[in-house]
Amino acid sequence: MAKPGRMDKLITIQQWGADSPAQDAYGVPSGTWTTYAKRWAEKIDKSGREFFQGGVISEITCLFKVRYVDGLTTKMRISYGSQYYDIISFIELGRQDTHEIVAKVQS
């Protein structure tokens, strides 16, 4: 169970809302990210690394502890501050009590 006093970061969980099955001129599906849920969260930085592959790339992984989010999937993302995080995995703690979400900063 998460401790409410540590949940001091307001995050937005977003889902991809495809406007239609149409594609733009470059073949990219059209749509926008829409708000699915807002939750207070505890953010824990888990790891970070940099590697060189045609340029320096940073990879930062975080753990967000939030109250249970019904319908959460790995196709969603988290918006916090000026960063977006791809949801890698999540686990449910308790019986629909808390989610621990592992997410990676989008590069």
Side-chain angles (χ1 to χ4, degrees), residues 89-100:
S89 65
F90 58 90
I91 58 171
E92 179 182 331
L93 302 176
R95 186 172 289 164
Q96 294 186 344
D97 179 55
T98 307
H99 271 130
E100 284 188 350

Side-chain angles (χ1 to χ4, degrees), residues 12-83:
T12 302
I13 298 170
Q14 299 177 326
Q15 68 180 352
W16 182 254
D19 297 327
S20 66
Q23 298 177 345
D24 66 12
Y26 300 103
V28 177
S30 62
T32 57
W33 287 97
T34 58
T35 298
Y36 182 77
K38 289 190 177 206
R39 293 284 191 276
W40 288 99
E42 177 182 356
K43 179 179 177 276
I44 303 166
D45 293 325
K46 298 302 278 180
S47 65
R49 67 182 179 139
E50 292 184 359
F51 53 94
F52 191 81
Q53 184 178 19
V56 176
I57 299 173
S58 295
E59 186 176 282
I60 300 169
T61 304
C62 300
L63 175 72
F64 291 94
K65 290 184 181 182
V66 299
R67 293 284 177 215
Y68 181 80
V69 180
D70 190 36
L72 185 67
T73 71
T74 56
K75 293 182 180 181
M76 296 177 177
R77 74 177 183 182
I78 293 173
S79 172
Y80 172 66
S82 62
Q83 293 285 329

